[in-house]
Amino acid sequence: MNWKHLKQTLNKNRLFFKILLYFLSLLIPIVILGVIAYFNANQLIKKDVSGKLTDNLTASYKTIDIYLGMAQSTNNSLLLSDTIQQYLRPYPLLTDEEKIKLPSIVRSIAGNRNTISHFVDNIFLFVDDQRVYFSDGMVDFDVFFDTFYKFDSYDKDFWRQQLHQSSLFELLTPTRVANPNMNTNRDVIPSVTTQYLNGHLATMVTTISIPTIVTTLQNNSIYSTTKYIVMDKNNQIILQSSGLEDSEKEQIVARFSKDKASNEAFNIGQEQNWIVQTTSEYGWKYYSITPVSSFNQESSSIFSLIIWICISLIIIGIAFSAIFSVRLYNPIKNIRDILQKTERIDEGNQETPRSGELQRIGNSVSQLIQLHKDANIKIHTFSEEILEQFFINLIKGVRGGQPYAVNQILKEIDFHTGSYLCCCFVFMFRDKFYHDILEADRLLIFEKMKNVLWGIMKKYVNCYLVEYEPYLYVCMVNLKSEADRGQLEQALEMIGMTFAYDTMYCELIIGLGKRYDKIEDYSKSYSDAITAIDKRTDSSKTVIVDAAHLDIDQNYYYSFLDETKIVNKLKSGDREGLRVELEGIIGLNKARGVSYHFLGALLVEFFHTGNRYLTEKGLRMNDFLEDNEHDFLSHKELLPTEFDVRLKMIFEFYNKMITETLYKPESKSGAVVSLITAYIEKHYEKDLYLEVIANEIGLSAKYVSRMFKETTGTNISDYISLIRIAKAKELLAQTDMKISDIADQIGIFSRTTFLRLFKKHEGISPNEYRHVHAMKQK
């Protein structure tokens, strides 16, 4: 009895269980993906972690090598500087006049120390055992090494001995330096350079801060449990992470001392560790020791996360499947029950016994809906407000509503066949209009203007006219045949005659967009018409301009390099140069026939560039623009009379930024850097290198390199690569060129070098970047 009742229930509610099964079937991919992810994540993690540990250690030692190289460069450049060469001599040999010049040596040392102060503890210089010159002044030799800067491992006699032997650059073993007066202690690595100056040996010492090296290693570390050992070329310990026993250190060094670079798992005590060892250009050996359990925990966490995500998704999926099935089935059940009670079913539409339940319900509902459809559509579609909003949406490029309702609208107003174009009427009222005509009369004229224009146009062509903006009327014209084009010209001629007597009060400009076969392209035709108005050359008081005679580009051109130039002008405070850049970009877009709509979008991009510059400077937009100004500049819609006004506002906006952010005029070094960056941006596709650029601007390569680095913080070669990669991204996004052709075009004549540089800067390959950009465009 129960089985029979259950069977009846299943048959009666078969549709419910079918819906439930459909929903539950969507959970199968979750299970499959969870299993695949579970078995592959561990392999991927273990394979990837080795490379990451090696890359991080390599990045760390290269950074430390840069520190050492800068210390060496500082020693050499300071000893070779004009000030040191001119004034540095043994103190007893100096005249009174020459002693007066000694503070310039201190200033020179202080200037070099400021440049590299983040990793250098101190810089000092001596040419005899009587005076030591450093960034804070000049003191007695014995006082300096006893009071100001006392080394644990090197006494005064050691430093005296340095004056008797020449050395280009020597890194000493680490030591601790103390300042007894200030009760401070610091760990440093002294670097010593001794050269002949004016016939006497002079010793230059730069002390590298060991805490800076430790910080560099820790900042690049993936895992907090990673420990480090650093040894110099004499196998002396430079630094060793806490927690490492001496026996463990000796095991590691003994195992990996013969290899210049290695990477493998190694048991230290009872725990397995992943050891990475490499050697720098200065002969230092770096060891990173990472417990394998660190990334095993990551694996376990990912496995647990995958399992819990899958379980959660399955539980949620089952719950939602049940809820959705019930909510979906109950209305269908109610509709079915109601339809079973009605007798309004056409005999010609009787279903066969094999018809599905949904099909039977659907046919019945269709019959009921059909009874009310025509009346409902007429009520909604013929509403003047809805109809006007419909055409405004078409101008904006938005086609709202259900396809059936939209087609009914077009059919009822006879817009469903032929071609389509926009006709824009722009009234520019003169001052005389506001002086001679009373306000009440002006309001009446504005109210009647739409009716006058529409009344004339409807006599000649099938059209619909809206007041899109104050003083801007847009007429959507439906041309059924070529004869209608002649009718349109007659209508425009009649409008010109109608307003011919009002030219003392206003100027009427009529813009005709191009013809399109789809009604969805009204927005394009509107953009064409506005562009034609902007490009008018006839200065008569009533003028008609036709976009059919113009080449119009529906896109604007504003590259990364263009934005960089504008930002550079903002940084340098070059107002005239900024105006030239903006007008040049606008002129280029106008020369290419960019539509007025996209010129408006270009102005918005100018505004966004300024906004990003303010964000970079840590400034607030509200301090520079009112809310209404912000809304005006960020709005892409642009009336024909607004372009110059908006461009002027952008210039004012930029001027405010320059006034706020510019503290001093551009220095000589800034001018040199501007010349360098301008030359690179113009000739990046050629075989550029430091000597070519230096020769082009008439300066020495060494001076150009130093000046560019001090001013921008970036090497010239890195900047050239940055510009080339930026251009490559544009070509990848906008063209279908081959990777090798793009590399040649941007001045990188090796495909392998291009791939390496691109991945270094962007983190992905060029093909991956092109694919990601294409997906975003969709």
Side-chain angles (χ1 to χ4, degrees), residues 325-372:
S325 298
V326 171
R327 292 190 176 183
L328 186 62
Y329 179 72
N330 282 340
I332 296 173
K333 180 177 177 294
N334 293 334
I335 293 172
R336 181 194 64 190
D337 295 339
I338 292 172
L339 292 175
Q340 286 177 348
K341 297 177 181 179
T342 184
E343 297 180 357
R344 300 189 65 181
I345 301 176
D346 295 339
E347 293 182 359
N349 290 329
Q350 292 290 345
E351 295 84 5
T352 64
R354 294 186 178 182
S355 299
E357 188 172 1
L358 282 178
Q359 182 180 349
R360 294 195 300 271
I361 294 174
N363 292 338
S364 300
V365 170
S366 297
Q367 292 179 33
L368 293 176
I369 293 175
Q370 190 64 38
L371 297 175
H372 306 282

Tab-separated table of all heavy atoms in Angstrom, residues 325-372:
chain	number	residue	atom	x	y	z
A	325	SER	N	14.533	23.959	-6.614
A	325	SER	CA	13.588	23.001	-7.213
A	325	SER	C	12.192	23.216	-6.670
A	325	SER	O	11.204	23.219	-7.422
A	325	SER	CB	14.057	21.569	-6.946
A	325	SER	OG	15.309	21.321	-7.536
A	326	VAL	N	12.113	23.393	-5.327
A	326	VAL	CA	10.795	23.622	-4.716
A	326	VAL	C	10.192	24.922	-5.218
A	326	VAL	O	9.018	24.987	-5.617
A	326	VAL	CB	10.930	23.617	-3.174
A	326	VAL	CG1	9.616	24.078	-2.534
A	326	VAL	CG2	11.292	22.227	-2.681
A	327	ARG	N	11.027	26.003	-5.215
A	327	ARG	CA	10.501	27.311	-5.624
A	327	ARG	C	10.172	27.347	-7.110
A	327	ARG	O	9.270	28.073	-7.528
A	327	ARG	CB	11.525	28.398	-5.288
A	327	ARG	CG	11.692	28.579	-3.789
A	327	ARG	CD	12.504	29.807	-3.464
A	327	ARG	NE	12.569	30.028	-2.024
A	327	ARG	CZ	13.161	31.067	-1.462
A	327	ARG	NH1	13.731	31.989	-2.230
A	327	ARG	NH2	13.168	31.194	-0.153
A	328	LEU	N	10.906	26.587	-7.899
A	328	LEU	CA	10.619	26.544	-9.324
A	328	LEU	C	9.414	25.664	-9.623
A	328	LEU	O	8.606	25.963	-10.501
A	328	LEU	CB	11.859	26.030	-10.067
A	328	LEU	CG	11.814	26.043	-11.591
A	328	LEU	CD1	11.669	27.478	-12.099
A	328	LEU	CD2	13.083	25.426	-12.173
A	329	TYR	N	9.284	24.611	-8.863
A	329	TYR	CA	8.205	23.661	-9.155
A	329	TYR	C	6.855	24.135	-8.629
A	329	TYR	O	5.823	23.926	-9.278
A	329	TYR	CB	8.538	22.302	-8.539
A	329	TYR	CG	7.463	21.267	-8.762
A	329	TYR	CD1	7.259	20.699	-10.011
A	329	TYR	CD2	6.624	20.865	-7.725
A	329	TYR	CE1	6.259	19.773	-10.232
A	329	TYR	CE2	5.624	19.921	-7.926
A	329	TYR	CZ	5.449	19.379	-9.191
A	329	TYR	OH	4.460	18.454	-9.402
A	330	ASN	N	6.831	24.772	-7.457
A	330	ASN	CA	5.551	25.192	-6.874
A	330	ASN	C	4.751	26.111	-7.788
A	330	ASN	O	3.552	25.897	-7.989
A	330	ASN	CB	5.784	25.855	-5.517
A	330	ASN	CG	6.041	24.827	-4.427
A	330	ASN	OD1	5.689	23.654	-4.569
A	330	ASN	ND2	6.658	25.256	-3.328
A	331	PRO	N	5.369	27.167	-8.375
A	331	PRO	CA	4.576	27.981	-9.320
A	331	PRO	C	4.095	27.175	-10.520
A	331	PRO	O	2.971	27.374	-10.995
A	331	PRO	CB	5.556	29.084	-9.745
A	331	PRO	CG	6.551	29.156	-8.658
A	331	PRO	CD	6.691	27.755	-8.164
A	332	ILE	N	4.965	26.279	-11.016
A	332	ILE	CA	4.553	25.458	-12.160
A	332	ILE	C	3.378	24.569	-11.769
A	332	ILE	O	2.411	24.394	-12.531
A	332	ILE	CB	5.739	24.607	-12.656
A	332	ILE	CG1	6.852	25.524	-13.186
A	332	ILE	CG2	5.300	23.625	-13.728
A	332	ILE	CD1	8.124	24.796	-13.550
A	333	LYS	N	3.466	24.005	-10.555
A	333	LYS	CA	2.375	23.138	-10.068
A	333	LYS	C	1.075	23.919	-9.934
A	333	LYS	O	-0.005	23.450	-10.317
A	333	LYS	CB	2.783	22.534	-8.718
A	333	LYS	CG	1.744	21.610	-8.082
A	333	LYS	CD	2.302	21.032	-6.807
A	333	LYS	CE	1.231	20.155	-6.128
A	333	LYS	NZ	0.090	20.962	-5.661
A	334	ASN	N	1.206	25.139	-9.378
A	334	ASN	CA	-0.009	25.952	-9.225
A	334	ASN	C	-0.598	26.330	-10.570
A	334	ASN	O	-1.828	26.309	-10.760
A	334	ASN	CB	0.317	27.212	-8.429
A	334	ASN	CG	0.696	26.901	-6.985
A	334	ASN	OD1	0.276	25.870	-6.442
A	334	ASN	ND2	1.482	27.780	-6.363
A	335	ILE	N	0.295	26.688	-11.508
A	335	ILE	CA	-0.192	27.019	-12.855
A	335	ILE	C	-0.870	25.810	-13.488
A	335	ILE	O	-1.925	25.911	-14.120
A	335	ILE	CB	0.974	27.525	-13.727
A	335	ILE	CG1	1.483	28.862	-13.203
A	335	ILE	CG2	0.542	27.658	-15.183
A	335	ILE	CD1	2.750	29.336	-13.877
A	336	ARG	N	-0.250	24.637	-13.302
A	336	ARG	CA	-0.835	23.408	-13.862
A	336	ARG	C	-2.216	23.147	-13.283
A	336	ARG	O	-3.165	22.818	-14.005
A	336	ARG	CB	0.094	22.230	-13.564
A	336	ARG	CG	-0.387	20.892	-14.121
A	336	ARG	CD	0.374	19.753	-13.501
A	336	ARG	NE	0.101	19.681	-12.065
A	336	ARG	CZ	0.781	18.897	-11.215
A	336	ARG	NH1	1.770	18.144	-11.663
A	336	ARG	NH2	0.471	18.885	-9.926
A	337	ASP	N	-2.340	23.308	-11.958
A	337	ASP	CA	-3.633	23.065	-11.313
A	337	ASP	C	-4.692	24.040	-11.790
A	337	ASP	O	-5.858	23.669	-11.986
A	337	ASP	CB	-3.476	23.151	-9.799
A	337	ASP	CG	-2.582	22.042	-9.246
A	337	ASP	OD1	-2.413	21.016	-9.936
A	337	ASP	OD2	-2.056	22.226	-8.130
A	338	ILE	N	-4.252	25.315	-11.983
A	338	ILE	CA	-5.219	26.320	-12.458
A	338	ILE	C	-5.639	26.021	-13.886
A	338	ILE	O	-6.825	26.094	-14.243
A	338	ILE	CB	-4.594	27.729	-12.350
A	338	ILE	CG1	-4.416	28.107	-10.881
A	338	ILE	CG2	-5.472	28.761	-13.064
A	338	ILE	CD1	-3.640	29.374	-10.665
A	339	LEU	N	-4.657	25.671	-14.707
A	339	LEU	CA	-4.968	25.404	-16.116
A	339	LEU	C	-5.848	24.169	-16.286
A	339	LEU	O	-6.606	24.061	-17.248
A	339	LEU	CB	-3.672	25.236	-16.909
A	339	LEU	CG	-2.829	26.514	-17.057
A	339	LEU	CD1	-1.512	26.191	-17.754
A	339	LEU	CD2	-3.581	27.574	-17.853
A	340	GLN	N	-5.712	23.217	-15.361
A	340	GLN	CA	-6.550	22.023	-15.460
A	340	GLN	C	-8.019	22.335	-15.202
A	340	GLN	O	-8.904	21.596	-15.636
A	340	GLN	CB	-6.057	20.963	-14.456
A	340	GLN	CG	-4.761	20.295	-14.881
A	340	GLN	CD	-4.255	19.320	-13.843
A	340	GLN	OE1	-4.746	19.288	-12.710
A	340	GLN	NE2	-3.267	18.511	-14.234
A	341	LYS	N	-8.257	23.450	-14.498
A	341	LYS	CA	-9.635	23.817	-14.180
A	341	LYS	C	-10.275	24.689	-15.253
A	341	LYS	O	-11.485	24.908	-15.235
A	341	LYS	CB	-9.681	24.561	-12.846
A	341	LYS	CG	-9.223	23.702	-11.671
A	341	LYS	CD	-9.230	24.517	-10.389
A	341	LYS	CE	-8.738	23.673	-9.204
A	341	LYS	NZ	-8.710	24.440	-7.934
A	342	THR	N	-9.450	25.267	-16.133
A	342	THR	CA	-10.015	26.127	-17.176
A	342	THR	C	-10.303	25.334	-18.425
A	342	THR	O	-9.681	24.315	-18.701
A	342	THR	CB	-9.058	27.288	-17.503
A	342	THR	OG1	-9.692	28.145	-18.438
A	342	THR	CG2	-7.757	26.772	-18.069
A	343	GLU	N	-11.244	25.752	-19.167
A	343	GLU	CA	-11.626	25.063	-20.398
A	343	GLU	C	-11.219	25.858	-21.633
A	343	GLU	O	-11.600	25.507	-22.751
A	343	GLU	CB	-13.148	24.850	-20.423
A	343	GLU	CG	-13.640	23.966	-19.294
A	343	GLU	CD	-15.136	23.755	-19.316
A	343	GLU	OE1	-15.791	24.346	-20.178
A	343	GLU	OE2	-15.642	23.007	-18.470
A	344	ARG	N	-10.384	26.924	-21.462
A	344	ARG	CA	-10.015	27.779	-22.592
A	344	ARG	C	-8.785	27.214	-23.272
A	344	ARG	O	-7.687	27.732	-23.189
A	344	ARG	CB	-9.770	29.193	-22.126
A	344	ARG	CG	-11.008	29.805	-21.475
A	344	ARG	CD	-10.798	31.269	-21.212
A	344	ARG	NE	-10.645	31.979	-22.467
A	344	ARG	CZ	-10.437	33.271	-22.554
A	344	ARG	NH1	-10.353	34.008	-21.477
A	344	ARG	NH2	-10.295	33.841	-23.738
A	345	ILE	N	-8.940	26.093	-23.952
A	345	ILE	CA	-7.846	25.472	-24.706
A	345	ILE	C	-8.339	25.190	-26.104
A	345	ILE	O	-9.374	24.566	-26.295
A	345	ILE	CB	-7.392	24.157	-24.034
A	345	ILE	CG1	-6.914	24.427	-22.600
A	345	ILE	CG2	-6.320	23.481	-24.845
A	345	ILE	CD1	-6.533	23.184	-21.844
A	346	ASP	N	-7.633	25.705	-27.075
A	346	ASP	CA	-8.031	25.483	-28.461
A	346	ASP	C	-7.939	24.013	-28.801
A	346	ASP	O	-6.981	23.328	-28.437
A	346	ASP	CB	-7.138	26.293	-29.411
A	346	ASP	CG	-7.345	27.775	-29.203
A	346	ASP	OD1	-8.401	28.167	-28.656
A	346	ASP	OD2	-6.424	28.535	-29.555
A	347	GLU	N	-8.907	23.529	-29.506
A	347	GLU	CA	-8.906	22.123	-29.898
A	347	GLU	C	-7.749	21.814	-30.849
A	347	GLU	O	-7.216	20.715	-30.839
A	347	GLU	CB	-10.227	21.775	-30.582
A	347	GLU	CG	-11.411	21.853	-29.623
A	347	GLU	CD	-12.720	21.474	-30.282
A	347	GLU	OE1	-12.676	21.180	-31.492
A	347	GLU	OE2	-13.731	21.466	-29.594
A	348	GLY	N	-7.359	22.788	-31.627
A	348	GLY	CA	-6.271	22.548	-32.577
A	348	GLY	C	-4.915	22.433	-31.906
A	348	GLY	O	-3.954	22.013	-32.512
A	349	ASN	N	-4.849	22.809	-30.607
A	349	ASN	CA	-3.567	22.766	-29.908
A	349	ASN	C	-3.533	21.690	-28.829
A	349	ASN	O	-2.775	21.762	-27.886
A	349	ASN	CB	-3.266	24.128	-29.251
A	349	ASN	CG	-2.970	25.194	-30.278
A	349	ASN	OD1	-2.438	24.881	-31.330
A	349	ASN	ND2	-3.354	26.428	-29.977
A	350	GLN	N	-4.408	20.676	-28.945
A	350	GLN	CA	-4.409	19.592	-27.966
A	350	GLN	C	-3.106	18.821	-28.053
A	350	GLN	O	-2.640	18.480	-29.132
A	350	GLN	CB	-5.595	18.647	-28.225
A	350	GLN	CG	-6.961	19.273	-27.957
A	350	GLN	CD	-7.213	19.500	-26.472
A	350	GLN	OE1	-6.510	18.947	-25.649
A	350	GLN	NE2	-8.195	20.327	-26.156
A	351	GLU	N	-2.509	18.534	-26.871
A	351	GLU	CA	-1.239	17.834	-26.832
A	351	GLU	C	-1.454	16.331	-26.885
A	351	GLU	O	-2.499	15.817	-26.483
A	351	GLU	CB	-0.471	18.194	-25.546
A	351	GLU	CG	-0.051	19.646	-25.472
A	351	GLU	CD	-1.156	20.547	-24.942
A	351	GLU	OE1	-2.198	20.012	-24.547
A	351	GLU	OE2	-0.981	21.780	-24.956
A	352	THR	N	-0.471	15.659	-27.329
A	352	THR	CA	-0.497	14.196	-27.338
A	352	THR	C	-0.168	13.695	-25.940
A	352	THR	O	0.387	14.435	-25.119
A	352	THR	CB	0.533	13.647	-28.335
A	352	THR	OG1	1.824	14.020	-27.883
A	352	THR	CG2	0.289	14.215	-29.726
A	353	PRO	N	-0.496	12.467	-25.617
A	353	PRO	CA	-0.191	11.937	-24.279
A	353	PRO	C	1.295	11.977	-23.965
A	353	PRO	O	1.693	11.988	-22.807
A	353	PRO	CB	-0.704	10.495	-24.366
A	353	PRO	CG	-1.760	10.532	-25.408
A	353	PRO	CD	-1.292	11.525	-26.418
A	354	ARG	N	2.127	11.957	-25.006
A	354	ARG	CA	3.563	11.962	-24.764
A	354	ARG	C	4.140	13.360	-24.553
A	354	ARG	O	5.329	13.499	-24.317
A	354	ARG	CB	4.282	11.299	-25.945
A	354	ARG	CG	3.970	9.812	-26.074
A	354	ARG	CD	4.831	9.209	-27.162
A	354	ARG	NE	4.590	7.777	-27.276
A	354	ARG	CZ	5.232	6.971	-28.132
A	354	ARG	NH1	6.163	7.488	-28.944
A	354	ARG	NH2	4.950	5.690	-28.180
A	355	SER	N	3.294	14.367	-24.698
A	355	SER	CA	3.793	15.734	-24.499
A	355	SER	C	4.278	15.908	-23.073
A	355	SER	O	3.644	15.442	-22.116
A	355	SER	CB	2.684	16.756	-24.788
A	355	SER	OG	2.251	16.653	-26.123
A	356	GLY	N	5.392	16.596	-22.902
A	356	GLY	CA	5.923	16.845	-21.577
A	356	GLY	C	5.035	17.786	-20.799
A	356	GLY	O	4.247	18.558	-21.361
A	357	GLU	N	5.162	17.719	-19.461
A	357	GLU	CA	4.324	18.560	-18.620
A	357	GLU	C	4.594	20.037	-18.855
A	357	GLU	O	3.677	20.852	-18.926
A	357	GLU	CB	4.565	18.197	-17.146
A	357	GLU	CG	3.585	18.885	-16.203
A	357	GLU	CD	3.700	18.368	-14.783
A	357	GLU	OE1	4.556	17.502	-14.545
A	357	GLU	OE2	2.935	18.830	-13.923
A	358	LEU	N	5.899	20.367	-19.002
A	358	LEU	CA	6.247	21.773	-19.268
A	358	LEU	C	5.698	22.241	-20.598
A	358	LEU	O	5.255	23.383	-20.739
A	358	LEU	CB	7.765	21.949	-19.236
A	358	LEU	CG	8.420	22.004	-17.847
A	358	LEU	CD1	9.916	22.121	-17.989
A	358	LEU	CD2	7.875	23.188	-17.054
A	359	GLN	N	5.717	21.370	-21.582
A	359	GLN	CA	5.204	21.742	-22.897
A	359	GLN	C	3.709	22.004	-22.837
A	359	GLN	O	3.217	22.989	-23.402
A	359	GLN	CB	5.511	20.642	-23.912
A	359	GLN	CG	5.049	20.969	-25.327
A	359	GLN	CD	5.374	19.860	-26.306
A	359	GLN	OE1	6.111	18.933	-25.982
A	359	GLN	NE2	4.810	19.949	-27.490
A	360	ARG	N	2.998	21.151	-22.138
A	360	ARG	CA	1.547	21.342	-22.018
A	360	ARG	C	1.244	22.634	-21.273
A	360	ARG	O	0.363	23.407	-21.669
A	360	ARG	CB	0.927	20.149	-21.296
A	360	ARG	CG	1.008	18.843	-22.072
A	360	ARG	CD	0.071	17.792	-21.495
A	360	ARG	NE	0.390	17.493	-20.108
A	360	ARG	CZ	1.255	16.559	-19.727
A	360	ARG	NH1	1.905	15.846	-20.646
A	360	ARG	NH2	1.482	16.334	-18.445
A	361	ILE	N	1.961	22.863	-20.177
A	361	ILE	CA	1.736	24.096	-19.418
A	361	ILE	C	2.104	25.316	-20.254
A	361	ILE	O	1.395	26.329	-20.268
A	361	ILE	CB	2.558	24.067	-18.114
A	361	ILE	CG1	2.039	22.969	-17.192
A	361	ILE	CG2	2.501	25.416	-17.405
A	361	ILE	CD1	2.881	22.763	-15.950
A	362	GLY	N	3.238	25.200	-20.967
A	362	GLY	CA	3.679	26.318	-21.790
A	362	GLY	C	2.682	26.695	-22.866
A	362	GLY	O	2.414	27.873	-23.101
A	363	ASN	N	2.128	25.701	-23.534
A	363	ASN	CA	1.134	25.985	-24.571
A	363	ASN	C	-0.092	26.663	-24.000
A	363	ASN	O	-0.647	27.608	-24.590
A	363	ASN	CB	0.753	24.699	-25.288
A	363	ASN	CG	1.893	24.136	-26.109
A	363	ASN	OD1	2.815	24.865	-26.477
A	363	ASN	ND2	1.869	22.837	-26.391
A	364	SER	N	-0.519	26.200	-22.845
A	364	SER	CA	-1.711	26.801	-22.217
A	364	SER	C	-1.435	28.225	-21.776
A	364	SER	O	-2.267	29.126	-21.968
A	364	SER	CB	-2.140	25.959	-21.014
A	364	SER	OG	-2.461	24.644	-21.407
A	365	VAL	N	-0.251	28.433	-21.166
A	365	VAL	CA	0.101	29.791	-20.729
A	365	VAL	C	0.220	30.724	-21.917
A	365	VAL	O	-0.197	31.885	-21.864
A	365	VAL	CB	1.418	29.750	-19.921
A	365	VAL	CG1	1.931	31.165	-19.658
A	365	VAL	CG2	1.225	29.020	-18.606
A	366	SER	N	0.787	30.218	-23.016
A	366	SER	CA	0.926	31.050	-24.213
A	366	SER	C	-0.428	31.525	-24.708
A	366	SER	O	-0.579	32.678	-25.144
A	366	SER	CB	1.639	30.262	-25.316
A	366	SER	OG	2.953	29.932	-24.912
A	367	GLN	N	-1.406	30.658	-24.632
A	367	GLN	CA	-2.751	31.045	-25.075
A	367	GLN	C	-3.321	32.136	-24.180
A	367	GLN	O	-3.937	33.096	-24.664
A	367	GLN	CB	-3.671	29.827	-25.059
A	367	GLN	CG	-3.306	28.770	-26.110
A	367	GLN	CD	-4.225	27.585	-26.031
A	367	GLN	OE1	-5.400	27.712	-25.702
A	367	GLN	NE2	-3.699	26.412	-26.348
A	368	LEU	N	-3.079	32.014	-22.847
A	368	LEU	CA	-3.593	33.033	-21.944
A	368	LEU	C	-2.858	34.365	-22.113
A	368	LEU	O	-3.476	35.432	-22.088
A	368	LEU	CB	-3.446	32.547	-20.496
A	368	LEU	CG	-4.308	31.345	-20.098
A	368	LEU	CD1	-3.971	30.915	-18.674
A	368	LEU	CD2	-5.790	31.665	-20.208
A	369	ILE	N	-1.553	34.257	-22.285
A	369	ILE	CA	-0.769	35.491	-22.440
A	369	ILE	C	-1.130	36.218	-23.717
A	369	ILE	O	-1.183	37.456	-23.760
A	369	ILE	CB	0.736	35.164	-22.412
A	369	ILE	CG1	1.133	34.678	-21.024
A	369	ILE	CG2	1.572	36.368	-22.805
A	369	ILE	CD1	2.564	34.214	-20.923
A	370	GLN	N	-1.390	35.451	-24.775
A	370	GLN	CA	-1.702	36.057	-26.060
A	370	GLN	C	-2.945	36.930	-25.999
A	370	GLN	O	-3.063	37.907	-26.728
A	370	GLN	CB	-1.877	34.956	-27.121
A	370	GLN	CG	-1.958	35.460	-28.534
A	370	GLN	CD	-0.664	36.134	-28.962
A	370	GLN	OE1	0.423	35.685	-28.601
A	370	GLN	NE2	-0.782	37.217	-29.712
A	371	LEU	N	-3.890	36.568	-25.079
A	371	LEU	CA	-5.126	37.340	-24.963
A	371	LEU	C	-4.871	38.760	-24.474
A	371	LEU	O	-5.634	39.675	-24.752
A	371	LEU	CB	-6.079	36.627	-23.985
A	371	LEU	CG	-6.554	35.232	-24.407
A	371	LEU	CD1	-7.378	34.593	-23.296
A	371	LEU	CD2	-7.380	35.312	-25.685
A	372	HIS	N	-3.771	38.936	-23.689
A	372	HIS	CA	-3.511	40.245	-23.089
A	372	HIS	C	-2.308	40.958	-23.690
A	372	HIS	O	-2.073	42.118	-23.391
A	372	HIS	CB	-3.249	40.067	-21.579
A	372	HIS	CG	-4.328	39.329	-20.868
A	372	HIS	ND1	-5.522	39.906	-20.520
A	372	HIS	CD2	-4.391	38.031	-20.455
A	372	HIS	CE1	-6.287	39.018	-19.904
A	372	HIS	NE2	-5.631	37.859	-19.857
